[in-house]
Amino acid sequence: MSIHFIYVMNMLTILSITAPIFLLILIGFIVVRTGALPATSIPGMSSYLLFLALPCLIFQKISQLDISQVVNADYLLIYTMGCLLVFFSVFFISRIVLRDSISFAALKGFGGSFPNSALIGLSLMMQYFEHPPTQAFVMVMLVENIVLFPIAFALMETTPESGADLKKTICTVGVRLLKNPIIIAVVTGALASLVHFNPPAFIARVMDLLASSVAPVALVIIGGSLVGSQVRASARDLLLISGFKLVLHPLLVLLMVVFIVPDMDSSLKQAAVIFAASPMMSMYPVIGGQYGQQAYCAGLLLVTTVFGFFSISLMLSLLELI
């Protein structure tokens, strides 16, 4: 069998994983662009996803697991290190080299390091593995919501007026976390697992229906949210943020799983790279809007999502090395 034939078959396999995901994103863009789905419906769909469907999925996945077997110290270490190294690299480049404010530099670092793991990453993992390592997704949620969110929001809330008010910053971040439906789902799911709680059959069925809607609805929302986006970020910022998010972040995680934790389960290694390779989270413009940067963030989301198809395909091909 020729090397060329094997290469073609591998590429077709990768396309069979990535194409459906980005086709749904394209469908979302088309239906909103043509008016078949009103653009005004996107915020409502996002709320449905964030406050209902996605928490149901996370609660369901965690509550069905043995919590004592979920946590893998190596995985948590590698994923946390990868995200934090990328976040602070972008943050310090923006702060020291580009002379951005602390808040704006943190927003850039957030975009460069925080993947769309709950939507695109989860969909990729479900497509890539015959038996997806659910614990990988749970640990990603724990790291992103308990470690990355507090650090990023604490720095983004640091302004010239409030920078010295540590108590105010801690309270603001704490309130955001306590109200975060993802955090609530993670905590309640863990408690349900510990007490071996099983909901009644009809409630479990309702949760199954809600959870099954996450992937298609999320991808359509991502596509629809790109309609009307204009790239207002400078070429310098585009290169910095998209380069770190799409290329350096997954490559860094890939190198760490190969050389730092070579004995870790291969499916967990591959899952870590898949999540790191996902484009920035679709809520990035919403978060940026809280700091007067919604249009800026929407343009970055557009670029990273479009180029994410190529970078993800590249990273999936490199998973054969693990």
Side-chain angles (χ1 to χ4, degrees):
M1 188 177 294
S2 68
I3 295 177
H4 177 71
F5 178 77
I6 295 174
Y7 173 78
V8 171
M9 293 303 295
N10 285 338
M11 289 306 299
L12 289 176
T13 301
I14 291 170
L15 285 175
S16 70
I17 297 171
T18 56
I21 292 171
F22 284 90
L23 180 58
L24 274 173
I25 293 176
L26 178 61
I27 290 172
F29 180 87
I30 292 173
V31 295
V32 173
R33 184 69 179 83
T34 59
L37 183 69
T40 52
S41 66
I42 295 297
M45 293 173 64
S46 298
S47 295
Y48 158 79
L49 195 69
L50 180 63
F51 291 97
L52 191 57
L54 187 56
C56 277
L57 173 65
I58 294 172
F59 174 87
Q60 195 178 53
K61 294 295 185 183
I62 297 179
S63 64
Q64 293 172 356
L65 293 172
D66 182 353
I67 292 298
S68 64
Q69 298 179 359
V70 168
V71 176
N72 181 290
D74 289 339
Y75 187 96
L76 289 174
L77 173 65
I78 292 302
Y79 193 76
T80 302
M81 284 177 56
C83 291
L84 289 179
L85 283 172
V86 173
F87 174 83
F88 282 110
S89 294
V90 176
F91 175 80
F92 284 119
I93 291 173
S94 300
R95 179 66 177 151
I96 298 173
V97 179
L98 304 180
R99 304 291 184 179
D100 292 320
S101 67
I102 294 177
S103 180
F104 193 30
L107 183 64
K108 288 183 178 181
F110 186 81
S113 63
F114 210 107
N116 200 337
S117 52
L119 307 183
I120 294 181
L122 178 61
S123 299
L124 282 169
M125 187 182 75
M126 300 298 285
Q127 291 277 339
Y128 185 81
F129 294 100
E130 183 177 354
H131 301 290
T134 306
Q135 69 177 121
F137 174 64
V138 175
M139 288 189 288
V140 164
M141 289 291 98
L142 292 173
V143 171
E144 291 178 356
N145 288 282
I146 297 177
V147 179
L148 299 181
F149 257 127
I151 292 174
F153 276 116
L155 290 171
M156 284 190 282
E157 291 289 337
T158 302
T159 63
E161 294 78 18
S162 63
D165 194 343
L166 180 60
K167 182 179 179 180
K168 179 181 178 181
T169 300
I170 293 174
C171 289
T172 301
V173 173
V175 170
R176 287 182 186 275
L177 292 176
L178 290 175
K179 291 182 177 180
N180 189 318
I182 305 300
I183 292 289
I184 295 172
V186 169
V187 173
T188 55
L191 291 174
S193 174
L194 290 173
V195 300
H196 304 289
F197 170 75
N198 292 312
F202 73 96
I203 293 180
R205 179 57 181 158
V206 170
M207 296 183 70
D208 285 339
L209 292 171
L210 287 170
S212 65
S213 71
V214 168
V217 172
L219 297 173
V220 169
I221 288 172
I222 292 172
S225 66
L226 298 178
V227 175
S229 297
Q230 296 181 352
V231 181
R232 298 188 179 182
S234 65
R236 179 183 59 190
D237 284 355
L238 284 173
L239 182 61
L240 172 66
I241 298 172
S242 63
F244 269 89
K245 180 76 243 24
L246 298 177
V247 181
L248 294 181
H249 189 187
L251 280 178
L252 177 61
V253 173
L254 175 64
L255 290 173
M256 287 194 293
V257 298
V258 170
F259 295 107
I260 298 180
V261 289
D263 297 328
M264 190 168 71
D265 181 77
S266 60
S267 63
L268 289 179
K269 291 181 181 180
Q270 293 168 338
V273 177
I274 287 174
F275 283 117
S278 301
M280 65 176 58
M281 66 184 304
S282 55
M283 297 296 287
Y284 188 52
V286 177
I287 293 171
Q290 301 176 33
Y291 305 95
Q293 299 292 344
Q294 182 169 359
Y296 173 90
C297 294
L300 285 169
L301 177 64
L302 172 64
V303 171
T304 58
T305 302
V306 171
F307 284 99
F309 174 80
F310 304 100
S311 63
I312 288 173
S313 298
L314 171 62
M315 293 306 155
L316 290 180
S317 67
L318 293 178
L319 291 183
E320 300 298 326
L321 301 175
I322 299 178

